[in-house]
Amino acid sequence: MVEHGDIRVVHRGGSKINSREPVVTNDSRFLLCASGERVKVFSTSTEECVHDLRGHTDLVTGVLLRPTNHLQVYSCSVDGTVRLWDFTDGILIKVQTCSWLMFDIVCMCVCAELFQLVAVHLPQSGDQLVEAQELSAVLSNVSSNPAATGFGRGVRAPPLRSPNAPPGAITYPKTDKDNKKGGKNTLMCIACHPKDDCIATGHEDGKIRLWRNFNHKKEYTYTTLHWHHNAVSSLRFTPEGTNLLSGGLESVLVQWRYNQESERDFLPRLGSAITHIAVSPDGTLFCTSHSDNKITIIQSCVKVSAVIQGLVNGESVRTDLMVDPRSKSLVLNGKPGHLQFYSLQRDKLLYNLDIVQQEYIHELGLQQFEVVKVAFDAPGNWMATVEERKPKAAEPEINLKLWAFDEQTQSFVLNTTVSAPHEAQITSMCFSQAADGQTSMLVSASEDGHFKAWQLPRSAYEGPSWSCDFVGDYRGLAPQCCCFSADGSLLAVSFQEVVTVWSPASWELLTTLSQPPKAIRDLCFGRLGCSKYLMGTTASNLLCCWNLLTCSLEWSTSMDVSLLLSDPLTENMAAFCCQAESTDLFVFKPSEPRPVASLKAVCSGKVTRAVFAPREEMLESCEESSQWLNRSQLYFLTQHMLLQSPAHVLPSTSVLCSMFVESLLVSVADGRSVVHEHLVHVFLNNSHSDHLCLTLNVSQQNTHRL
Amino acid sequence: MGEFKVHRVRFFDYMPAAIRAMAFNRRTERLALARADGALEIFNFADNYFQEKVIPGQDGRAVEALCWVGRRLFSAGLNGEITEYDLENLRPRYTVEAYGGPIWTISGNDQGTLLAVGCEDGTVKMFEVLEDRIQFQRNLDRQKGRIISLCWHPSASLIAAGMMDMIRIFDVETGRATHRLLVERGVGASKSKEVVVWSIAFLSDHTIISGDSAGKVQIWDGLTGTLARTHLVTKWDVLALSVSQDESSLVAGTSEGTVVQFQFLSSTLDGQNKDWVRTRTFKNHSHDVRALVHTETAVVSGGMDTQLVVRPLLDKVEKNTQESAMRKMAFPHRSLVCCAKKAGLLLFQFPDHLELWRLGESDGHGETTMKFPLPPFQVSKLPKDLRSAHQLCFSTDSSRLFASSINSSVVVVALNQPECKYLHTLKPKSGEAESNLILEPVHLLFASEDGKWLATANTACEVQVYNLDKIKLHCTVPVYGSCPTAIAIHPTSSNLVVVHADQQIFEYSLVQKEYTEWSRRLQKQGLHSLWLERDTPITHVTFNPKHPAHIILHDMFMFCVIDQSLPLPEAKTRLFNQMILRSLPEPMRILHRHAFKMCKTFQNLMCVRLLEDHSLVVVERPLLDIMSQLPAPVRQKRFAT
């Protein structure tokens, strides 16, 4: 990036909005939530993103309204700063630097791998950049989970070395650890009553305990409320303390009457597990964050009034990234059994399409149908999906579904369901790229050693449906990749190290190409002027280009290409090469083995999914190295959700022609991102301003990163 | 510990009766418990919850309510009578007819001067408590509908009565009802059914708390007669209430077998605005909780499932101590099985009959025992001194019968003649000098095998040994602070072994009239902590004639052979080491051996006896068998069913 000053990788969206609790402003008009490196301001009535508060250079880990000025908001980040914003205008007012990583605006950590609750004195000063030096530890050794920290009634700005610890904060989780029986009552979350000395704790076994009687004799007592059958993940009292809200995996918001706990209200069918609950200061709006990156706004526990949906981060993107040719939206796995259509321009989920069309039953270990393949034809009239369920010790169940675009409803309608199209897993599927749109053809390749061509017969009166047209095989080998040429006249199917080229018109095997010794990994036809070329990568780290006119190898080069893809609008092809924990990007034309552009270390880790998406407006860039981005943008998905350090430089709005590569963030079971799971979230009834409590973490890892 | 051929007996159909009522005497720390068959049991909470006394029930005398007045115990039942019990001689002292139909409840005032009973005909009858009896004083205003529950205000000027659909508050002075509190009926189908106020509590700040058949615990202001708060606790009935002495905590027992605690808590730290808040829920019963007692540190509950449960409140006791462990008392703390060693006969004691069984032969491999119920015998006429006997014991040669009788005395009867003949009465020495001394009943008798000694133990913790040759008191073992639960005299060495309710073991030499060397060593070193933590008393001690150094004893969960020749276990060694010993090689085994050899193979033991042929009889009564004979509990919705 340093060598290509104007091209850099920018993380643009799709980040988690459910990582920390959202904040509702005093007038209930706006909702603020931490989203990656930014704070997003949504309108609670229209669901639109009103402002995007940019400025932090690492994950934002907490958002908090300024108690003395309800039009300003504090945010803290792993980059070690606390920033003060005017969220109505979206202006940064003040930057406060601390030498620690903020993990929450409630807690902070001082020594390695130990979380502490500290108070930070924010000095009053006119400068925009101030360094906060007065820090005082309130409690040491708190849980790294911010939901397990709460502030009770009457907490004042803790003076340095406060002798009277705030009532109820954090000491009670420890009480609980004492009487653990069977280990199922692990503490999950905590909430303090705004008026009474009552602390609610949520436990892993689904019970909620209301602790009372905090006198000096330590005769704590508790009431148990039990409705949830799984862990309680979030608890919140309403501002007046009349109700307690709880949520968990059941995706039901439960409202308990305080002191009349046998009476409770439910708001069921919220879609997915509740991770956080927030209540507006006037108590009229409830906000629930959900595990599928969604925030639901609920009016007085009866009606869902708005849903803010971010990109759903599934466990894995098995479908690959696709671009819907009509809406130009990104298509990938979403909720279980669904495809999500995600607008890249607006960073907003357009809609979810139910592919599996079965009731989703949450149960641990239950095998669900999963959408594993998606393909669109060139005009976007047809979509093919493959769903798969692999029960233990049984044949996989596979369904191929073909969906027609309905102009009236502007969405896809199921046309044909082919159950068991192949006997084994489908490895690849593609539509013929023929421009006429009349003769759509779908080819699916499977591990059972066959590839099948599916066609829509024209002579069907009672609504056309798809049927199998041809079954092909080659020496009993399992086909891996299949690819149509740009004009649809050729089909390339790879069988291990052999590429077979077929004519879809006559189903004749035209020629075979091979590059031993290893199997073919990726196949790609050239576009436009380069359509005579067929690109392929092999497992032996070879990138080959065959000329189909001569049926010979045009050129080859040795590089470990993890992903190869072609831009449908230009002749360009992109190859991601994984080398020593970081990935390089090369853009080239098949006609010559010289890269048009190359970027070193676009991200750390392996790039597994990428896609070229067409631009809405063409750019007029004359620089050679950035010309390839004039018509399309390249989006890629990294294996690790990590923000690369050089990318911290924010793109100034003037540099329009820079490359926008989106790293869509996926949740990963990676050691570092586990730490990130614990980031962000704030709740504080601090009556006096100027003091904030922050969570900082200086674990070994992060110190290292600093 | 040697090998035994075991007769495993499981045909003793012992079935304890349901617990109907309880009353706790805070001064003496005695719990009185009434069962559905009319039997009365006294537990000493100061002495490891030992069941000191049992007064057998009588037909048609089911006890509905119990009440302590000082050290005196009164009961009332649906037969319409009030009974006072003679706790020294373990029998009813007298009964008084109340003439108001069945009595549902009885309650004494704190001053101990008046008893109030609630009758079926709607009257609250006041009885004056006199020194030797009670006397009817007067009726309070008669109401329509029965009086189910009663509670005195601590000042004894007011009394609250729970009735059908309502609660009434009476002024004791005038006898007039001052308030009438209407209790709401249940919702839905039960709307047409009368609601029964099963239990009521009257606090010193004039708060009235009621538990009713609609599942509500309601808190009323007794001064204004208004409802302050309703807690819906169960879909079924709230049957029992009990308030702690400082009136800061309340427990309610329900038909679902749960006990719900309420606490009088202030919502903020400054201690103002106190309110009754529902806190913990205990589920230790499968059936109705009919009787409840809130002691200082624990909740004691009992009900249809016949078990007495002591659940310590963890905020009142030290955690992880013996005090904080929950206790369930399912079996009586005395032996209900008698075994004839030579004849191989088993005698099972039931509340209203006996069963005699002969042990069968087994093939030597399995633990099978054939059962042969024997026909009953006709017993010849008994001398009239034997009319009230708490405990019987035969001499080894069957020539004499010893019976513990009134005033801590033992009656000796000769059996040689065709009919029994009264010989004499053995009395403890102190009897004649201090006549006003309370003489506790003898609950344990043991006649030595050589016919020379008779040992007795009474509930005042005294152990006396009589010389049967001289027919006089031989010696009194130094009194230890805990009640003896089993005694036995060694057949050869004439050492008396006494096991106490706090699990201590003493060995006393009758010849030298002092504790033996082994006993002193045991006391000096102290018993193993695991031994002391057991929560059921040793109910029987016996000896192994083949190994004179072996003492065999058992409680409900294990039997143990103490080998006096082996070293005592150190505090750090494992007490239950039989399995480990078995896996060790011979030389190591000797190193790790210690005196206590415990066997937990058999559970829920009613009796372990060593027969003449060196085989062991083990009588088990699995708790599951008892549970399966209980009626079905109330229907409860369970998650995922």
Side-chain angles (χ1 to χ4, degrees):
Chain A
M1 256 135 288
V2 182
E3 49 276 65
H4 302 274
D6 49 351
I7 299 182
R8 58 196 139 190
V9 179
V10 177
H11 159 73
R12 275 202 30 205
S15 53
K16 279 190 169 184
I17 55 172
N18 64 346
S19 62
R20 290 294 147 110
E21 186 186 271
V23 171
V24 187
T25 58
N26 275 8
D27 55 3
S28 298
R29 284 175 58 214
F30 298 110
L31 177 95
L32 299 123
C33 66
S35 164
E37 296 173 2
R38 311 170 197 180
V39 177
K40 285 198 171 185
V41 185
F42 290 99
S43 158
T44 53
S45 46
T46 63
E47 310 171 11
E48 289 299 322
C49 180
V50 183
H51 288 294
D52 212 2
L53 308 180
R54 302 180 187 189
H56 282 295
T57 54
D58 211 329
L59 274 176
V60 177
T61 53
V63 183
L64 173 69
L65 286 178
R66 188 175 182 179
T68 48
N69 184 347
H70 62 266
L71 296 176
Q72 293 179 351
V73 67
Y74 285 108
S75 68
C76 68
S77 161
V78 183
D79 65 8
T81 59
V82 176
R83 283 165 198 257
L84 181 64
W85 311 83
D86 182 327
F87 60 83
T88 46
D89 298 329
I91 302 168
L92 176 68
I93 298 170
K94 201 185 258 186
V95 182
Q96 207 94 42
T97 57
C98 290
S99 41
W100 286 286
L101 297 179
M102 311 283 164
F103 258 118
D104 199 321
I105 306 208
V106 175
C107 314
M108 140 198 286
C109 160
V110 176
C111 56
E113 313 211 317
L114 178 80
F115 282 80
Q116 278 192 334
L117 182 71
V118 301
V120 178
H121 180 75
L122 301 177
Q124 295 281 358
S125 108
D127 300 338
Q128 234 208 354
L129 187 65
V130 219
E131 185 148 351
Q133 281 168 334
E134 282 184 52
L135 289 166
S136 59
V138 181
L139 286 164
S140 57
N141 196 12
V142 300
S143 162
S144 61
N145 177 9
T149 306
F151 272 81
R153 179 186 63 90
V155 181
R156 277 181 204 91
L160 294 169
R161 299 304 308 156
S162 146
N164 49 341
I170 311 90
T171 44
Y172 302 102
K174 284 191 179 163
T175 334
D176 239 35
K177 274 177 199 156
D178 289 346
N179 57 14
K180 63 176 165 205
K181 291 181 220 140
K184 275 292 268 181
N185 60 356
T186 314
L187 188 104
M188 302 296 290
C189 49
I190 188 166
C192 299
H193 194 276
K195 289 181 174 152
D196 289 356
D197 285 335
C198 174
I199 293 173
T201 56
H203 297 263
E204 200 183 346
D205 54 1
K207 288 178 180 160
I208 299 166
R209 286 183 178 163
L210 294 174
W211 296 81
R212 288 192 181 87
N213 206 19
F214 305 109
N215 55 19
H216 297 294
K217 281 182 262 169
K218 296 196 171 178
E219 290 181 342
Y220 320 124
T221 182
Y222 61 87
T223 314
T224 306
L225 314 177
H226 198 177
W227 180 85
H228 295 276
H229 79 271
N230 252 308
V232 182
S233 58
S234 187
L235 276 177
R236 182 67 65 241
F237 277 104
T238 54
E240 289 298 308
T242 49
N243 290 305
L244 172 67
L245 305 170
S246 68
L249 194 69
E250 301 87 359
S251 58
V252 179
L253 182 70
V254 187
Q255 177 171 280
W256 310 81
R257 298 255 184 294
Y258 183 66
N259 271 340
Q260 261 175 309
E261 281 83 8
S262 54
E263 283 178 42
R264 53 196 177 206
D265 293 325
F266 303 102
L267 186 67
R269 291 180 286 278
L270 289 176
S272 63
I274 294 173
T275 53
H276 301 103
I277 301 172
V279 184
S280 68
D282 56 1
T284 54
L285 287 185
F286 302 158
C287 295
T288 51
S289 294
H290 297 266
S291 58
D292 63 350
N293 208 10
K294 177 173 81 175
I295 297 173
T296 308
I297 298 165
I298 297 155
Q299 272 175 346
S300 50
C301 202
V302 284
K303 201 175 105 231
V304 173
S305 65
V307 176
I308 299 162
Q309 174 78 64
L311 186 76
V312 182
N313 298 315
E315 280 158 21
S316 61
V317 181
R318 292 190 62 179
T319 54
D320 208 341
L321 301 179
M322 288 299 201
V323 172
D324 175 21
R326 277 176 187 267
S327 64
K328 309 284 185 275
S329 58
L330 189 71
V331 179
L332 69 159
N333 284 122
K335 294 198 292 186
H338 286 66
L339 277 183
Q340 56 180 330
F341 287 71
Y342 188 83
S343 167
L344 290 166
Q345 276 74 34
R346 292 163 62 210
D347 187 19
K348 194 182 171 197
L349 189 90
L350 298 179
Y351 61 93
N352 274 308
L353 185 67
D354 189 354
I355 300 297
V356 171
Q357 298 184 333
Q358 276 185 3
E359 189 80 33
Y360 178 73
I361 301 164
H362 174 85
E363 195 182 309
L364 210 66
L366 191 70
Q367 291 294 320
Q368 312 277 358
F369 265 114
E370 252 187 295
V371 184
V372 291
K373 288 278 180 289
V374 179
F376 288 93
D377 73 342
N381 291 331
W382 290 97
M383 177 177 76
T385 61
V386 175
E387 66 210 37
E388 184 185 291
R389 177 166 67 175
K390 212 170 178 183
K392 278 175 202 134
E395 293 284 298
E397 286 177 61
I398 301 168
N399 288 326
L400 171 68
K401 282 181 178 166
L402 285 131
W403 306 74
F405 190 79
D406 185 20
E407 293 284 349
Q408 276 184 329
T409 58
Q410 289 290 310
S411 74
F412 284 94
V413 179
L414 184 63
N415 175 276
T416 311
T417 304
V418 184
S419 54
H422 285 275
E423 281 148 31
Q425 262 190 349
I426 291 179
T427 52
S428 175
M429 184 170 72
C430 64
F431 271 101
S432 137
Q433 301 286 339
D436 58 353
Q438 295 291 310
T439 53
S440 283
M441 179 185 287
L442 175 74
V443 168
S444 61
S446 160
E447 280 179 353
D448 62 359
H450 298 289
F451 71 92
K452 291 186 183 179
W454 308 84
Q455 245 183 341
L456 190 68
R458 287 183 211 162
S459 57
Y461 288 102
E462 63 285 354
S465 66
W466 291 69
S467 59
C468 185
D469 184 47
F470 175 72
V471 181
D473 55 24
Y474 181 77
R475 293 185 177 176
L477 296 172
Q480 281 300 319
C481 318
C482 58
C483 182
F484 273 102
S485 66
D487 57 355
S489 62
L490 290 176
L491 169 70
V493 184
S494 75
F495 291 89
Q496 291 189 359
E497 66 270 21
V498 184
V499 181
T500 57
V501 182
W502 306 72
S503 157
S506 58
W507 290 118
E508 215 179 317
L509 178 61
L510 298 176
T511 183
T512 58
L513 309 160
S514 72
Q515 196 64 34
K518 287 283 179 67
I520 303 285
R521 206 191 267 163
D522 257 324
L523 268 185
C524 213
F525 270 102
R527 303 281 167 198
L528 305 174
C530 298
S531 56
K532 61 183 175 185
Y533 296 108
L534 174 65
M535 303 293 303
T537 61
T538 71
S540 55
N541 298 344
L542 218 56
L543 176 68
C544 316
C545 176
W546 288 283
N547 189 334
L548 290 173
L549 296 178
T550 61
C551 289
S552 62
L553 189 70
E554 184 90 4
W555 54 269
S556 74
T557 174
S558 174
M559 57 201 288
D560 180 16
V561 179
S562 64
L563 195 67
L564 178 73
L565 70 161
S566 66
D567 182 359
L569 298 180
T570 64
E571 299 169 350
N572 296 321
M573 299 194 110
F576 288 93
C577 301
C578 186
Q579 271 176 351
E581 293 298 301
S582 75
T583 298
D584 303 336
L585 171 67
F586 296 98
V587 181
F588 58 92
K589 289 194 164 106
S591 52
E592 48 187 331
R594 184 184 67 86
V596 175
S598 69
L599 282 98
K600 297 278 181 209
V602 287
C603 72
S604 66
K606 204 171 166 184
V607 172
T608 51
R609 305 289 181 199
V611 71
F612 273 103
R615 260 185 212 285
E616 278 177 338
E617 281 174 46
M618 247 180 69
L619 293 179
E620 295 293 338
S621 172
C622 36
E623 264 189 75
E624 196 197 7
S625 61
S626 57
Q627 258 175 354
W628 62 281
L629 286 163
N630 283 0
R631 302 194 59 175
S632 328
Q633 287 167 295
L634 179 65
Y635 292 83
F636 67 86
L637 191 70
T638 57
Q639 203 174 16
H640 300 286
M641 168 206 160
L642 285 174
L643 302 171
Q644 311 78 5
S645 42
H648 284 177
V649 191
L650 285 172
S652 72
T653 40
S654 57
V655 189
L656 267 174
C657 55
S658 58
M659 172 185 107
F660 291 98
V661 180
E662 178 134 347
S663 77
L664 298 165
L665 307 181
V666 220
S667 71
V668 268
D670 163 62
R672 301 180 77 173
S673 62
V674 168
V675 179
H676 290 249
E677 292 292 312
H678 300 307
L679 308 185
V680 197
H681 160 117
V682 182
F683 44 102
L684 179 54
N685 302 341
N686 213 334
S687 48
H688 302 273
S689 65
D690 300 329
H691 283 82
L692 285 176
C693 289
L694 311 154
T695 315
L696 307 191
N697 179 15
V698 189
S699 66
Q700 291 292 8
Q701 258 174 347
N702 289 298
T703 341
H704 181 67
R705 281 178 64 195
L706 279 172
Chain B
M1 74 198 255
E3 287 188 353
F4 298 102
K5 198 167 97 180
V6 176
H7 293 274
R8 190 177 201 168
V9 175
R10 284 197 170 186
F11 47 78
F12 180 21
D13 294 324
Y14 167 70
M15 187 65 205
I19 294 171
R20 187 58 67 82
M22 290 197 298
F24 187 65
N25 192 332
R26 293 183 205 278
R27 208 170 308 144
T28 59
E29 294 200 55
R30 299 294 200 281
L31 178 85
L33 181 151
R35 293 196 182 262
D37 59 359
L40 211 74
E41 293 165 13
I42 309 283
F43 290 86
N44 186 354
F45 274 37
D47 185 12
N48 283 31
Y49 308 96
F50 182 62
Q51 186 188 34
E52 281 185 334
K53 296 170 189 177
V54 178
I55 302 174
Q58 280 170 295
D59 275 345
R61 287 241 174 127
V63 171
E64 194 64 31
L66 282 174
C67 163
W68 287 95
V69 176
R71 289 174 176 273
R72 297 164 72 180
L73 181 65
F74 294 90
S75 79
L78 296 182
N79 57 359
E81 290 173 346
I82 305 168
T83 307
E84 189 186 347
Y85 290 91
D86 182 350
L87 295 178
E88 280 82 57
N89 297 315
L90 307 183
R91 62 186 178 192
R93 184 170 283 163
Y94 57 85
T95 55
V96 172
E97 174 68 44
Y99 299 108
I103 302 176
W104 288 95
T105 176
I106 184 167
S107 175
N109 63 0
D110 283 2
Q111 289 70 25
T113 54
L114 285 174
L115 269 183
V117 295
C119 302
E120 175 77 15
D121 68 352
T123 53
V124 177
K125 292 175 189 287
M126 308 298 261
F127 286 84
E128 204 177 339
V129 181
L130 302 176
E131 200 133 291
D132 54 344
R133 63 200 171 85
I134 56 169
Q135 191 173 34
F136 176 70
Q137 197 195 36
R138 65 196 172 99
N139 281 336
L140 301 186
D141 276 2
R142 185 170 166 180
Q143 308 295 326
K144 259 190 187 168
R146 54 180 80 103
I147 308 278
I148 300 290
S149 50
L150 280 177
C151 188
W152 288 84
H153 186 261
S155 70
S157 60
L158 294 170
I159 192 164
M163 303 174 62
M164 312 299 285
D165 281 338
M166 68 172 93
I167 299 163
R168 288 216 182 237
I169 305 172
F170 294 96
D171 190 322
V172 179
E173 284 295 307
T174 62
R176 304 240 176 270
T178 57
H179 280 294
R180 181 165 153 268
L181 317 176
L182 288 179
V183 180
E184 211 181 319
R185 291 186 180 183
V187 286
S190 53
K191 192 103 190 165
S192 55
K193 271 200 280 182
E194 280 183 312
V195 61
V196 186
V197 180
W198 283 119
S199 187
I200 198 161
F202 207 158
L203 308 185
S204 50
D205 64 349
H206 292 272
T207 301
I208 293 173
I209 298 161
S210 68
D212 59 46
S213 61
K216 305 191 292 283
V217 171
Q218 291 186 308
I219 291 138
W220 309 79
D221 185 342
L223 290 174
T224 56
T226 50
L227 179 65
R229 190 165 198 108
T230 299
H231 290 277
L232 191 65
V233 168
T234 168
K235 287 189 175 131
W236 303 91
D237 294 24
V238 175
L239 293 171
L241 290 177
S242 181
V243 183
S244 68
Q245 197 168 22
D246 60 357
E247 298 187 350
S248 69
S249 170
L250 164 88
V251 284
T254 70
S255 288
E256 288 173 337
T258 53
V259 174
V260 182
Q261 191 191 12
F262 294 84
Q263 279 176 285
F264 197 49
L265 299 177
S266 119
S267 59
T268 50
L269 266 183
D270 48 28
Q272 316 247 294
N273 301 324
K274 284 200 165 187
D275 201 1
W276 284 98
V277 182
R278 180 182 168 163
T279 55
R280 280 165 281 204
T281 303
F282 310 115
K283 174 106 173 88
N284 299 317
H285 294 276
S286 56
H287 289 69
D288 292 12
V289 175
R290 285 292 301 262
L292 260 185
V293 165
H294 195 312
T295 67
E296 204 88 314
T297 57
V299 177
V300 186
S301 55
M304 284 291 285
D305 62 358
T306 75
Q307 296 191 11
L308 178 67
V309 176
V310 181
R311 172 70 162 79
L313 293 169
L314 289 177
D315 53 342
K316 304 282 185 194
V317 297
E318 192 83 13
K319 269 178 198 153
N320 301 324
T321 59
Q322 208 184 341
E323 206 188 4
S324 68
M326 194 179 75
R327 281 167 183 265
K328 282 193 174 188
M329 281 168 260
F331 287 169
H333 291 168
R334 63 210 168 98
S335 200
L336 296 179
V337 181
C338 200
C339 174
K341 287 182 185 174
K342 263 183 210 161
L345 297 173
L346 284 175
L347 184 70
F348 297 146
Q349 182 185 342
F350 289 90
D352 50 354
H353 67 283
L354 299 171
E355 271 180 21
L356 188 61
W357 298 73
R358 170 167 289 130
L359 288 171
E361 292 299 317
S362 72
D363 54 5
H365 298 292
E367 293 171 349
T368 50
T369 293
M370 302 300 285
K371 51 180 188 178
F372 301 102
L374 296 175
F377 299 97
Q378 187 71 42
V379 179
S380 54
K381 245 202 270 168
L382 287 171
K384 72 169 194 299
D385 305 80
L386 265 181
R387 286 290 148 77
S388 86
H390 315 314
Q391 197 74 26
L392 293 174
C393 171
F394 287 98
S395 63
T396 322
D397 56 0
S398 297
S399 63
R400 288 176 196 185
L401 171 68
F402 309 101
S404 77
S405 182
I406 52 167
N407 293 334
S408 195
S409 61
V410 178
V411 177
V412 185
V413 177
L415 298 172
N416 308 17
Q417 289 84 2
E419 65 178 39
C420 316
K421 194 184 156 213
Y422 167 75
L423 288 181
H424 42 252
T425 304
L426 300 169
K427 279 187 183 166
K429 233 181 209 164
S430 53
E432 64 233 14
E434 302 135 86
S435 56
N436 57 348
L437 193 86
I438 299 162
L439 291 169
E440 291 288 319
V442 168
H443 70 294
L444 294 172
L445 279 176
F446 190 89
S448 70
E449 219 160 272
D450 53 7
K452 196 178 172 193
W453 310 106
L454 177 74
T456 68
N458 65 17
T459 47
C461 308
E462 294 165 337
V463 180
Q464 268 128 0
V465 182
Y466 297 96
N467 190 327
L468 292 175
D469 297 340
K470 297 175 183 166
I471 314 179
K472 66 168 224 186
L473 187 69
H474 175 69
C475 62
T476 301
V477 179
V479 175
Y480 179 70
S482 180
C483 197
T485 63
I487 55 172
I489 298 169
H490 197 275
T492 50
S493 67
S494 289
N495 287 339
L496 174 71
V497 175
V498 186
V499 188
H500 292 270
D502 62 354
Q503 313 293 357
Q504 290 292 344
I505 305 166
F506 292 97
E507 193 186 34
Y508 188 79
S509 166
L510 296 182
V511 183
Q512 275 137 26
K513 293 193 185 179
E514 60 174 24
Y515 287 121
T516 62
E517 184 56 33
W518 183 79
S519 182
R520 283 169 205 276
R521 202 145 38 93
L522 185 67
Q523 288 307 310
K524 205 171 165 189
Q525 190 175 331
L527 281 152
H528 198 277
S529 60
L530 280 179
W531 176 268
L532 296 175
E533 276 168 19
R534 292 175 311 113
D535 60 356
T536 52
I538 298 286
T539 49
H540 193 260
V541 177
T542 187
F543 303 96
N544 190 346
K546 277 194 182 168
H547 303 279
H550 285 189
I551 307 170
I552 302 171
L553 19 78
H554 81 91
D555 67 2
M556 188 175 149
F557 297 107
M558 59 103 212
F559 77 89
C560 171
V561 178
I562 300 177
D563 191 340
Q564 286 177 303
S565 60
L566 287 180
L568 294 166
E570 301 279 335
K572 276 179 233 156
T573 54
R574 289 174 72 105
L575 190 62
F576 308 101
N577 63 352
Q578 294 303 306
M579 294 304 282
I580 296 167
L581 278 186
R582 203 169 294 172
S583 64
L584 287 174
E586 189 65 36
M588 290 291 283
R589 213 181 287 181
I590 292 164
L591 266 177
H592 282 85
R593 280 191 309 187
H594 61 72
F596 286 73
K597 295 159 179 197
M598 297 165 91
C599 169
K600 290 196 165 188
T601 315
F602 308 102
Q603 288 286 294
N604 304 318
L605 293 170
M606 299 292 287
C607 158
V608 175
R609 296 287 186 277
L610 195 61
L611 294 183
E612 200 87 309
D613 61 350
H614 206 66
S615 61
L616 210 60
V617 180
V618 174
V619 181
E620 288 177 295
R621 178 62 178 160
L623 288 180
L624 274 178
D625 293 2
I626 295 180
M627 287 295 150
S628 64
Q629 287 187 29
L630 293 172
V634 292
R635 203 180 65 80
Q636 283 167 52
K637 168 85 182 109
R638 308 209 66 171
F639 177 67
T641 52

